[in-house]
Amino acid sequence: MSDEPKATGSARTSRTGFRRFVPTWRWVLGGSMLVLVLACGVLVAGYLLVSIPPANKAAAAQTNVFLYSDGSQIARDGEINRENINLAQVPKSVQEAVLAAEDREFYQESAIDPKAMLRAGWNMVTGGGKQSGSTITQQYVKNYYLNQDQTLTRKAKEFFIALKLDNEVSKTDILEGYLNTSYFGRNAYGIQAAAQAYYAKDVDELSTSEGAYLAALVNSPNAYDTQAHPENRKRAVARWHYVLDGMVKKSWITRSERDAFKFPEPGRDKPATGMSGQRGYLVEAVKNYLISNEIIDERRLAAGGFRITTTLDPKRQKAMGKAVEKRLMSKLKKDRKVDKYVRAGGTSVDPKTGKIVAMYGGIDYTKQYVNNATRRDYQVGSTFKPFIFTSALENNSKTQDGRSITAGTIYDGTNKREVISDGNGTDYAPENEDKKSYGQIPVSQAMNKSVNSVFAQMGVDVGPKKVKRTAIDLGLPEKTPNMPEDGSIALGVATASTTDMAEAYATLANHGKRGHYSLVEKATHGGEVIELPDRDVSEQVERSAADSTTAVLRKVVQGGTGTAAQSAGRPAAGKTGTAEEDKAAWFAGYTPELATVISVMGQNSETGVQKSLYGAAGLERVNGGGFPAEIWGDYTKAALKGQPIRDFDLKTGGDADIPGTKPPGSGDPSAPPTGPTSEPPTTGPTTPPTDPGTPSIPPTGPPTDPGTPPTGGEIGGDIDGQNGGDNTGTSGGPGDGGGWQGGNTTGQPASAARIAESGEEWEGG
């Protein structure tokens, strides 16, 4: 018998090696229990310590203050519009519409949705963006007791208050409070104010379809107001359908009832008188900028208390308004029906800083509610063509027969020439304006004359997807409406705003470099400084591609469809454009210091329907080379007054000839431009000119640029003078010989002068 002691149980189970670091099941179970006990303790402590507070000050929200860049005031955004009602006053179907939109299980569920809250909290912690994870009860707590801040602290308070409220207050009382505190846009707090703001009726008169639209607004009032943002109508209608489908799913309405509903178009907004003139447009644009860039949440912004300094320069703002009034509005007559349809919009950007320095939204925010500077529902026309050329250079594109595309590349400019792709016809044969044919023509001249057949073919040569990518790289939003990835993209069917286009042209002016564009310089809320996006400038397209486009667009101003822009008195590049059926006319142009886009549009103020501008201001038609270019010239001259004249610093890499400081002169300087200018209206009173036909012997290779037509002469001054002609521009002398381009001194350069008084019309794009 051995005298050695037997091994103990602990010795038999001792852990060695890496197993020593692996927790046993006892440790795991014990740790889990400890975490569970602590979590329960936190929940109990939170529930006991957090009490239901009194209503927050946001329930009687503060105003926001909007300032120009120099600190002077633009506007305050008015008093709060709210009228509390009893739940019994809200039709049952309207209550159900709101539940279908926001919380379909409201009467059955608890006050919180833990899964949704955890998802939203995790997104905030990990930088995944702000996201709501709230039930109606939580939203009511946020609206009435707390604030709109998206922070973990506020979320925690919301959690505990919602739990308490759910135990102490009935569901009907919570729903009533929610309907009275929710923000519906148009400065309307509560569903009664919303019913009046959108349908001019009390809430008890709302139909089911109208109630469904108001319910849809709660999710994003700014986005779904179809009057303020007609370009978002499809999204708003889709959200309305979502609400109605939810009502069907919950058996609150039948499928046949739902199918019988038609979208209930809301009425026009009636802005406060304090927003008259340009003020309302500017405030709306700033709010949209803050919301769309996720700088300030829409509901928090609506609660007020912000002091917002914009990038808008009051002097340039005034200059743009004066230019529109002088060149356009003063020419309109009340007894001329078409003149009632005329609207104008414009945006001006500093290419170096990315700051929007001026914006024209319309004649008066209280009379014309939609901001013409930011709306995205009119075709940009031929102002899109420079993006095609830029894309061709950026992608080293070639023609169908293998020639590199440059400013000197020859294309067939025959009217209705069928576009060819990979050697095959496409059945796509766009018409040139006035049905004019140009035969064999270099790209630079095709840009001057805005030849549709050339750029339709070039768009296919480059590839529509690549063209779209370049347009986005330059500055157009990815979700620009009607910007297809097919051949039609080449003719400017996209419906970008003047602000979008100004940002894109500013990138060309800045040699292909682009950063975040800004409308806000600084924003504060009490002692809090709101974080704004960084500029983050980077090269979006190659400099040679951007500069070559500028070189070609300089010739458009020197001797093409944009000669009226010479009135700025500075080296300039630009492009004219006309939407289909003359519903809008554009001029997009820039100097080294400023990129500005002006659009003149036609719209019936009563119905909102786009209208043709034939006959406006007594003219047969309105082209981009007319009013828009004239407004651009006047504004740019005033905006840059006192600053030294700078020429473009271009590095084209041989893809385009750099125009000289003083354009060469040849031929008759008194002749106005004769080429077509933009995409064709299919109808209109203008008589097509005689077709010059196609040269019998086309060039065999890319020629040198045929030169730029003279710019002086129609109303005084010869081609050698800087300002030739007297101050009225009616007689004119030789000028002093030292200038960069001829013409008069009144803002109507000689070669571009429109002889409006005599009833004649010059061709513009």
Side-chain angles (χ1 to χ4, degrees):
M1 185 174 215
S2 173
D3 293 331
E4 294 180 3
K6 294 182 179 180
T8 63
S10 61
R12 286 197 304 269
T13 58
S14 62
R15 295 152 61 88
T16 61
F18 75 92
R19 294 180 63 198
R20 290 178 298 170
F21 303 103
V22 179
T24 66
W25 66 270
R26 294 184 182 89
W27 276 103
V28 172
L29 180 59
S32 299
M33 291 296 292
L34 179 61
V35 170
L36 183 59
V37 169
L38 289 174
C40 290
V42 169
L43 291 173
V44 171
Y47 188 85
L48 294 175
L49 293 174
V50 176
S51 58
I52 299 176
N56 63 18
K57 293 182 179 179
Q62 308 169 66
T63 59
N64 294 313
V65 180
F66 297 84
L67 307 171
Y68 285 112
S69 58
D70 66 353
S72 58
Q73 184 171 300
I74 299 174
R76 293 177 179 268
D77 60 352
E79 297 180 356
I80 300 307
N81 177 21
R82 186 198 312 275
E83 182 181 347
N84 290 340
I85 55 168
N86 297 321
L87 187 62
Q89 296 174 257
V90 183
K92 188 70 173 177
S93 64
V94 176
Q95 296 178 37
E96 292 167 341
V98 173
L99 297 178
E102 295 297 312
D103 191 353
R104 296 176 185 179
E105 307 302 324
F106 171 70
Y107 281 106
Q108 291 78 39
E109 69 183 2
S110 69
I112 60 170
D113 183 346
K115 290 182 180 179
M117 283 195 67
L118 287 172
R119 182 175 62 249
W122 176 254
N123 280 347
M124 282 190 285
V125 170
T126 58
K130 299 172 182 177
Q131 179 179 349
S132 174
S134 303
T135 64
I136 276 182
T137 304
Q138 289 174 273
Q139 291 182 54
Y140 172 51
V141 169
K142 179 176 62 176
N143 291 343
Y144 193 66
Y145 296 106
L146 299 174
N147 55 47
Q148 302 297 326
D149 293 349
Q150 292 280 12
T151 64
L152 290 176
T153 301
R154 201 272 296 156
K155 276 286 183 184
K157 289 182 178 179
E158 175 189 302
F159 178 89
F160 291 115
I161 295 171
L163 285 176
K164 278 198 167 183
L165 202 65
D166 199 40
N167 288 332
E168 300 178 16
V169 180
S170 69
K171 289 283 190 181
T172 54
D173 286 344
I174 291 173
L175 182 58
E176 178 182 299
Y178 175 75
L179 292 174
N180 280 324
T181 56
S182 292
Y183 180 62
F184 289 84
R186 298 193 180 184
N187 198 35
Y189 290 81
I191 198 162
Q192 167 63 14
Q196 285 291 341
Y198 289 91
Y199 294 111
K201 60 177 63 173
D202 288 331
V203 66
D204 59 3
E205 299 172 336
L206 289 174
S207 67
T208 302
S209 61
E210 290 168 341
Y213 176 70
L214 295 184
L217 285 170
V218 176
N219 180 260
S220 184
N222 181 66
Y224 297 147
D225 187 338
T226 59
Q227 293 295 313
H229 299 284
E231 70 275 13
N232 289 345
R233 190 177 186 279
K234 288 183 179 179
R235 291 175 58 196
V237 173
R239 180 70 180 174
W240 177 74
H241 282 304
Y242 166 80
V243 174
L244 292 176
D245 289 341
M247 296 179 73
V248 172
K249 189 174 182 180
K250 295 294 294 183
S251 300
W252 292 331
I253 58 174
T254 65
R255 172 57 62 178
S256 59
E257 288 175 326
R258 183 252 180 279
D259 292 341
F261 292 139
K262 293 183 179 180
F263 183 73
E265 289 289 351
R268 293 169 54 194
D269 188 23
K270 299 177 181 178
T273 55
M275 292 292 168
S276 62
Q278 293 299 303
R279 291 189 292 271
Y281 299 120
L282 302 184
V283 167
E284 184 217 14
V286 172
K287 287 182 176 180
N288 289 341
Y289 171 83
L290 293 169
I291 294 166
S292 62
N293 286 281
E294 298 184 349
I295 298 169
I296 303 176
D297 178 83
E298 181 174 1
R299 288 168 177 80
R300 188 183 180 203
L301 184 62
F306 289 92
R307 187 175 181 85
I308 300 163
T309 302
T310 72
T311 59
L312 297 165
D313 182 333
K315 293 181 180 179
R316 289 174 172 176
Q317 188 67 36
K318 183 177 180 180
M320 186 172 285
K322 288 182 66 175
V324 173
E325 174 60 30
K326 175 184 176 182
R327 290 294 182 177
L328 176 63
M329 297 303 172
S330 65
K331 310 290 178 64
L332 305 180
K333 294 183 178 180
K334 294 181 179 180
D335 58 354
R336 188 184 290 126
K337 183 178 180 180
V338 66
D339 285 4
K340 297 177 182 178
Y341 301 149
V342 176
R343 296 185 172 210
T347 305
S348 186
V349 174
D350 182 331
K352 296 298 181 185
T353 65
K355 296 177 181 179
I356 297 173
V357 297
M359 182 177 285
Y360 182 88
I363 57 169
D364 190 318
Y365 188 67
T366 62
K367 297 176 182 178
Q368 293 180 354
Y369 176 52
V370 179
N371 189 337
N372 298 320
T374 58
R375 66 189 304 166
R376 293 183 175 127
D377 56 343
Y378 281 84
Q379 293 180 353
V380 301
S382 291
T383 56
F384 195 89
K385 285 177 176 145
F387 306 158
I388 304 168
F389 181 60
T390 304
S391 189
L393 301 180
E394 176 76 3
N395 292 287
N396 299 313
S397 300
K398 298 181 183 297
T399 63
Q400 295 289 307
D401 57 3
R403 292 173 291 128
S404 294
I405 299 175
T406 67
T409 303
I410 299 297
Y411 270 89
D412 187 345
T414 302
N415 182 50
K416 287 192 173 181
R417 174 191 176 277
E418 184 180 21
V419 173
I420 304 299
S421 178
D422 295 327
N424 300 312
T426 61
D427 293 326
Y428 180 44
E431 187 176 86
N432 292 334
E433 185 164 351
D434 295 333
K435 303 178 182 179
K436 190 170 183 179
S437 289
Y438 294 88
Q440 304 299 306
I441 184 172
V443 169
S444 60
Q445 286 298 309
M447 188 75 80
N448 277 7
K449 301 176 184 297
S450 208
V451 183
N452 289 333
S453 55
V454 169
F455 286 94
Q457 181 64 60
M458 189 187 299
V460 171
D461 293 347
V462 177
K465 289 185 178 180
K466 292 179 180 178
V467 170
K468 182 176 180 177
R469 182 69 257 167
T470 299
I472 292 169
D473 289 341
L474 287 170
L476 292 195
E478 290 197 37
K479 295 183 179 179
T480 297
N482 306 311
M483 190 161 64
E485 293 183 346
D486 59 40
S488 65
I489 191 175
L491 300 187
V493 295
T495 55
S497 68
T498 65
T499 302
D500 299 331
M501 295 297 287
E503 292 175 358
Y505 272 73
T507 305
L508 294 174
N510 200 29
H511 312 292
K513 293 182 179 180
R514 178 174 67 87
H516 183 89
Y517 288 89
S518 175
L519 189 52
V520 174
E521 190 78 54
K522 182 180 180 181
T524 59
H525 189 272
E528 177 190 5
V529 177
I530 306 301
E531 183 178 354
L532 300 174
D534 293 330
R535 178 87 171 102
D536 291 333
V537 178
S538 62
E539 185 177 85
Q540 297 296 308
V541 299
E542 293 181 1
R543 175 166 184 166
S544 60
D547 284 2
S548 295
T549 303
T550 297
V552 170
L553 295 183
R554 283 208 56 193
K555 294 182 180 181
V556 173
V557 174
Q558 289 180 342
T561 59
T563 50
Q566 292 175 13
S567 62
R570 293 171 178 268
K575 185 70 187 78
T576 56
T578 307
E580 189 176 1
E581 297 181 353
D582 234 32
K583 292 177 180 177
W586 297 71
F587 185 77
Y590 52 97
T591 66
E593 307 92 345
L594 211 55
T596 305
V597 176
I598 303 293
S599 180
V600 176
M601 315 163 193
Q603 182 178 28
N604 186 314
S605 297
E606 298 301 322
T607 65
V609 174
Q610 294 185 10
K611 305 291 288 187
S612 295
L613 292 171
Y614 297 124
L619 304 177
E620 287 189 8
R621 66 190 312 170
V622 175
N623 293 321
F627 294 129
E630 292 171 7
I631 292 168
W632 186 95
D634 275 17
Y635 162 73
T636 302
K637 182 177 183 179
L640 297 177
K641 184 178 181 179
Q643 296 188 24
I645 293 177
R646 291 174 51 205
D647 203 354
F648 291 96
D649 176 22
L650 303 181
K651 297 178 181 179
T652 65
D655 290 326
D657 293 334
I658 300 176
T661 303
K662 183 171 66 175
S666 61
D668 181 8
S670 64
T674 58
T677 58
S678 189
E679 48 288 333
T682 56
T683 60
T686 302
T687 303
T690 304
D691 188 335
T694 304
S696 57
I697 306 177
T700 57
T704 58
D705 194 303
T708 304
T711 58
E714 176 72 20
I715 310 182
D718 67 12
I719 60 174
D720 294 321
Q722 169 150 6
N723 296 316
D726 63 15
N727 288 336
T728 62
T730 55
S731 55
D736 62 9
W740 68 277
Q741 59 187 26
N744 65 12
T745 62
T746 65
Q748 246 186 325
S751 67
R754 226 173 12 91
I755 318 173
E757 290 73 18
S758 64
E760 298 180 31
E761 173 71 1
W762 67 286
E763 294 180 317

